[in-house]
Amino acid sequence: MDRTHDPHAGSSGAGGHPAEAADPHCLGEGEGGALLRGAPWRRFAVLGDSLAEGLGDPLPGYRTASWADRTAEALRSAAPGLEYLNLGVRGLTTAQVRAGQTGRAAAFAPDLVAVVCGGNDLLLPGFSPDAVAAEMDLLFGGLCAPGTTVFTFSLLNVTAAVPELRGGPLEDGLAVLGGIVRATAKRHGALVVEMYGHPAAGDRDLYSADLVHASARGHAVIAAAVLRELGAAVREAPSRAGPAPV
């Protein structure tokens, strides 16, 4: 479902959410906007599955807002005229994201694009790393262009928080998927937000009860990682962040 306006956008960060305010892996009030000061982006699109859409359980002490909505909020703090389109739909595979979302994203003409997919491929019987890699390469090839910054994720390693899952096929699959994401991003010049080995990955409250989706805390932690990565791109390599606004 296309989403161009978010009810949380423009709300006041972690204020009134004490656990989030005290969490060292989250950002403080106004910190996201400060990290993105001088950022050139004015049109932000998100493509992907349920993580892009923003599914997840609430958690006391944390604001109920997805990582994507939080990112858009911080971008709007730096550039109030920012346009935001979230195309994320739960349950989609990489091939379905490519087939159903790239055209709509292109029509929006974004200069900043987030791509989050692959997790559903991993959970389906017959997961084929080669097939996912081929689809992801086509997906990124259709989005990466001069003047556009694309970023993606290595997914959180949920097995770090669930001892009985460690060393099994899920952990192996997440590592393989992370490798595909990194290799694809490198070929196309996209940024990677590294969540697989994040220091909070072993915290059970980072995940919803289904152990598939991030909790409200998980979304806050992911957003912080995204904003730090984007802030670093602005500070360290302005040419990667697209052309300067005119």
Side-chain angles (χ1 to χ4, degrees):
M1 178 174 64
D2 296 15
R3 186 165 74 250
T4 55
H5 175 72
D6 142 58
H8 299 290
S11 60
S12 56
H17 300 87
E20 182 173 334
D23 193 325
H25 300 295
C26 297
L27 296 180
E29 188 84 23
E31 191 175 352
L35 285 170
L36 295 180
R37 188 173 296 119
W41 304 298
R42 299 297 181 267
R43 300 183 69 80
F44 174 41
V46 178
L47 291 78
D49 52 27
S50 57
L51 183 55
E53 183 182 348
L55 295 191
D57 295 344
L59 189 68
Y62 287 84
R63 188 158 59 100
T64 303
S66 74
W67 71 266
D69 288 351
R70 289 167 177 269
T71 300
E73 177 186 323
L75 286 162
R76 283 195 177 123
S77 175
L82 179 97
E83 297 292 334
Y84 167 42
L85 175 66
N86 192 322
L87 296 167
V89 176
R90 66 197 73 182
L92 297 189
T93 63
T94 302
Q96 290 169 330
V97 170
R98 181 175 71 85
Q101 298 179 11
T102 50
R104 285 180 287 165
F108 179 68
D111 54 9
L112 179 65
V113 180
V115 184
V116 189
C117 58
N120 289 313
D121 300 85
L122 178 60
L123 295 176
L124 289 173
F127 169 60
S128 169
D130 289 342
V132 172
E135 284 291 343
M136 201 168 286
D137 194 59
L138 291 170
L139 174 59
F140 275 69
L143 296 169
C144 294
T148 301
T149 300
V150 177
F151 70 91
T152 188
F153 300 92
S154 63
L155 297 181
L156 283 161
N157 179 17
V158 64
T159 71
V162 187
E164 55 268 32
L165 294 177
R166 292 175 190 164
L170 179 58
E171 185 169 26
D172 291 344
L174 285 167
V176 169
L177 183 60
I180 293 170
V181 167
R182 294 182 195 97
T184 306
K186 184 176 181 179
R187 279 195 302 276
H188 293 280
L191 303 173
V192 178
V193 180
E194 288 288 354
M195 298 307 301
Y196 181 86
H198 191 282
D203 296 348
R204 179 61 184 80
D205 68 355
L206 215 66
Y207 309 93
S208 292
D210 61 9
L211 296 177
V212 173
H213 300 104
S215 67
R217 183 187 179 217
H219 280 283
V221 170
I222 293 169
V226 167
L227 293 171
R228 287 170 178 142
E229 183 71 28
L230 293 179
V234 172
R235 294 190 306 274
E236 298 170 11
S239 63
R240 297 179 67 184
V246 294

